Amino acid sequence: MIKLIDLPKILDDRGNLSVIQEETNIPFKIHRVYWIYDVPGGEFRGSHALKETEEFIVAVSGSFDVILNDGKQERKISLNRSYFGLYVPKMTWRTLDNFSTNSLALVIASRTFSEDDYIRDFETFLNSVR
Ligand code: TYD
């Protein structure tokens, strides 16, 4: 199930700290971490679904929107804080857009990269979930 997850936030006069531990704050083991940055104004990322990979997305800096579609309904979630993130289950169509200047999208994935895991055509996605 798509869900926003609050992360631990350790407040300190020296600066704050948040943390993600596998199988504690997120419901999977971490196999890969990547990040999206230097996104030009007006650009979008994603627009695909992953067959087996679960992901957790955090706006470590700045803000952006994630548009999610599970084949039944579409939701838009704005990420704009580094102390919560979005759990994206497998077989969820996602698009990231509306990136602010200098935003940094951190993505934690449950599997190593494989192009075979991608569905990049929306009609194919809809046919597979229905
Ligand atoms: P893609 O997942 O399509 O980007 P987006 O986040 O916008 O959906 O990946 C873009 C390119 O980067 C594609 O050629 C595959 C490559 N890539 C890797 O090599 N390893 C990775 O872990 C990821 C996420 C992408």
Side-chain angles (χ1 to χ4, degrees), residues 32-36 44-48 50 55 94-96 99 107 109 111-115 118 120:
R32 179 164 49 109
V33 177
Y34 63 94
W35 48 99
I36 297 168
F44 67 90
R45 300 290 311 220
S47 279
H48 55 69
L50 298 169
E55 292 191 323
R94 93 291 304 276
T95 303
L96 281 64
F99 286 88
V107 185
R111 293 201 161 207
T112 53
F113 175 76
S114 165
E115 189 59 43
Y118 281 73
R120 294 191 182 273

Side-chain angles (χ1 to χ4, degrees), residues 22-41:
E22 61 181 4
E23 296 182 312
T24 306
N25 311 106
I26 54 171
F28 57 82
K29 276 188 178 288
I30 297 170
H31 279 82
R32 179 164 49 109
V33 177
Y34 63 94
W35 48 99
I36 297 168
Y37 56 99
D38 290 349
V39 179

Side-chain angles (χ1 to χ4, degrees), residues 93-106:
W93 189 269
R94 93 291 304 276
T95 303
L96 281 64
D97 74 359
N98 201 22
F99 286 88
S100 69
T101 306
N102 291 330
S103 57
L104 174 56
L106 180 73

Side-chain angles (χ1 to χ4, degrees), residues 48-67:
H48 55 69
L50 298 169
K51 291 179 219 165
E52 294 297 339
T53 306
E54 300 163 70
E55 292 191 323
F56 184 69
I57 307 174
V58 183
V60 172
S61 180
S63 63
F64 50 86
D65 296 335
V66 189
I67 300 130

